[in-house]
Amino acid sequence: MSSLIEMGQRAKDAAVVLATLSTPAKNKALLASADALLAAKAEILAKNKADVDAAVEAGIKGAFIDRLTLTEARLADMAEGLRQVAKLDDPVGEVLSMKTLDNGLVIGQKRVPMGVIGIIFEARPNVAADAFGLCLKAGSAVILRGGKEAFQTNRAVISALRGALAAEGLPEDCVQMVPDTSRETANEMMRLNGYLDVLIPRGGAGLINSVVQNSTVPVIQTGVGNCHVFVDESADLEKAARIVINAKTQRPGVCNACESLLVHEAIAEKFMPEIGKALQERKVEIRGDEATQGLVSGAVPATEADWATEYEDYIISARVVKDIDEAIRHIRKYSTGHSEAIVTENYTNAQRFLNEVDAAAVYVNASTRFTDGGQFGFGAEIGISTQKLHARGPMGLKELTTTKYIIYGNGQIRE
């Protein structure tokens, strides 16, 4: 615990510098950091290969390996992400309101940095760079604790970023990495009150639930994504097929991928065999109810657990529903509140779905894969919040700040 406290104190000291850093200085550091990532390409990719090889040797496969793997293109995307953050408006210092009271007090509210942000994440090395860039632009220091599978990769990425900060004359401790991946250290990080202002988990349901249940540091809950696509009876079936295939297979290991397909019974006989074949051609296993099994050759029975599962893999649950009411009831029961979509040409049903489905992002005739800060035009994001306090949906720069009231007086006292 003493080493984490020392890291926390160094982060607090660095946060003091960041809080008053000018926007041009932050942007310059972000651009230098992007260049540093590319300059360290050989080292980062070599460490990533070692991590991937170790994971494969340990028997890990499928979408997890995809999340873990860095390529030259993905590393270039990480660097570009930092450059994009540099182009975004700086939220720090934004005055949200200002008014004068009858007694002459001028009261305003302005956006300020959080201070020190902790992030516990799993096997996505890009999170290290994204989190660093967003926290820096939002004026906060960050302490990162990654998963064991990406440990060497994360260390190489953060080393490059710290080098860029030092070259810019900024504290390297604006970003720090917890030096081990033990559960004990993660639990200690969850109790780092007084040093961490907020803790954000990025990963699967197990990690997120552990942080939410055990942390004494305030938590912003990022979302497990049991996302649904409902194909209504009025749907354009060609459009529906494109959306379902994209939502499931474009990148199945991410939280905004479709995990469950609901199809209106009026079109199931035509649509289910076609979409089933298309998904199976893309190596997707279909776990369905009785109706789906009767319509899709090779579909296996779905269990109750399947309806509530975020697979993050080439697996989808599928069910035929009587109408939009049954679809909405199913989603209400099993959704994690991340992203939900309806494919329909019926305006009334579209509006009902938008109004009655409770999720951070609700779509009409579009893939759930768009729930992403960059796709929404916010730049990089730290995650998708599925809670309802402070932040909901893609968490970009503004969501990584807080506010304070500023009051100007001229000698006023309270009678």
Side-chain angles (χ1 to χ4, degrees):
M1 190 67 172
S2 61
S3 63
L4 276 177
I5 290 175
E6 290 169 4
M7 290 178 69
Q9 186 56 60
R10 293 198 303 270
K12 285 173 71 73
D13 293 341
V16 171
V17 176
L18 280 177
T20 57
L21 199 64
S22 70
T23 300
K26 288 190 281 190
N27 291 342
K28 189 168 181 286
L30 287 166
L31 296 176
S33 298
D35 292 342
L37 281 183
L38 297 181
K41 176 175 66 176
E43 173 73 6
I44 293 170
L45 293 181
K47 295 298 184 184
N48 182 252
K49 184 178 185 305
D51 281 336
V52 171
D53 288 346
V56 171
E57 189 174 335
I60 298 171
K61 55 187 178 180
F64 187 96
I65 296 297
D66 175 64
R67 295 196 297 274
L68 176 60
T69 302
L70 282 184
T71 61
E72 287 194 22
R74 288 185 179 181
L75 188 62
D77 287 343
M78 288 163 60
E80 181 59 24
L82 293 175
R83 295 190 184 99
Q84 291 300 320
V85 173
K87 294 178 182 178
L88 297 174
D89 292 338
D90 190 344
V92 177
E94 177 187 359
V95 177
L96 303 177
S97 64
M98 188 72 75
K99 65 179 179 179
T100 303
L101 304 184
D102 291 342
N103 62 7
L105 286 177
V106 179
I107 299 180
Q109 187 183 30
K110 67 184 293 187
R111 211 176 282 283
V112 297
M114 286 280 191
V116 180
I117 297 173
I119 299 176
I120 299 178
F121 63 104
E122 292 179 337
R124 292 182 174 93
N126 63 293
V127 172
D130 289 347
F132 159 77
L134 286 164
C135 290
L136 179 68
K137 186 68 177 269
S140 289
V142 62
I143 298 177
L144 299 166
R145 189 271 189 189
K148 64 180 180 180
E149 293 83 5
F151 184 77
Q152 295 187 68
T153 310
N154 290 334
R155 188 162 56 181
V157 168
I158 292 167
S159 176
L161 297 174
R162 286 172 64 88
L165 290 171
E168 291 298 310
L170 297 176
E172 293 183 18
D173 292 326
C174 292
V175 58
Q176 297 179 73
M177 176 179 166
V178 176
D180 71 72
T181 60
S182 68
R183 181 172 296 179
E184 291 74 20
T185 302
N187 289 334
E188 290 172 1
M189 192 172 174
M190 296 177 206
R191 298 190 296 271
L192 209 59
N193 298 74
Y195 298 95
L196 291 182
D197 293 286
V198 67
L199 187 59
I200 303 172
R202 282 283 308 268
L207 169 66
I208 293 169
N209 290 337
S210 175
V211 173
V212 170
Q213 292 168 12
N214 297 309
S215 180
T216 57
V217 174
V219 175
I220 296 178
Q221 184 174 344
T222 58
V224 174
N226 186 24
C227 306
H228 300 74
V229 175
F230 167 49
V231 182
D232 189 28
E233 64 177 324
S234 67
D236 177 324
L237 299 189
E238 183 179 342
K239 183 188 299 181
R242 290 199 308 271
I243 289 170
V244 171
I245 291 167
N246 178 264
K248 178 69 255 184
T249 68
Q250 196 259 347
R251 197 171 180 191
V254 293
C255 61
N256 57 20
C258 172
E259 304 289 16
S260 192
L261 170 64
L262 304 176
V263 176
H264 194 292
E265 65 179 11
I267 58 164
E269 190 170 337
K270 177 174 176 58
F271 184 69
M272 269 297 195
E274 293 177 359
I275 194 63
K277 181 181 178 182
L279 288 168
Q280 289 168 337
E281 287 174 349
R282 292 162 175 82
K283 310 303 182 185
V284 177
E285 177 186 329
I286 300 170
R287 300 180 182 179
D289 64 350
E290 287 187 14
T292 299
Q293 293 170 62
L295 294 168
V296 179
S297 176
V300 300
T303 66
E304 179 65 20
D306 281 310
W307 305 126
T309 297
E310 179 189 30
Y311 299 111
E312 294 188 314
D313 206 344
Y314 287 92
I315 306 170
I316 193 170
S317 62
R319 181 177 182 180
V320 175
V321 295
K322 180 180 179 181
D323 51 27
I324 188 172
D325 296 299
E326 186 177 354
I328 290 174
R329 284 197 301 271
H330 181 98
I331 292 169
R332 283 176 178 166
K333 183 174 181 179
Y334 298 108
S335 172
T336 55
H338 192 294
S339 300
E340 306 294 351
I342 183 173
V343 185
T344 184
E345 298 301 312
N346 184 300
Y347 176 81
T348 300
N349 285 353
Q351 294 307 115
R352 278 197 62 196
F353 196 86
L354 290 174
N355 292 333
E356 297 179 27
V357 170
D358 187 17
V362 185
Y363 293 84
V364 175
N365 294 331
S367 169
T368 56
R369 284 286 289 116
F370 286 104
T371 308
D372 173 276
Q375 295 295 317
F376 278 16
F378 304 155
E381 34 106 310
I382 210 75
I384 309 297
S385 171
T386 55
Q387 65 184 33
K388 299 183 182 182
L389 294 178
H390 174 67
R392 196 179 194 197
M395 292 166 48
L397 288 173
K398 288 186 177 181
E399 289 74 25
L400 291 178
T401 62
T402 185
T403 62
K404 70 179 177 184
Y405 283 94
I406 52 175
I407 302 96
Y408 295 93
N410 187 29
Q412 288 89 338
I413 61 173
R414 182 169 176 174
E415 300 295 340

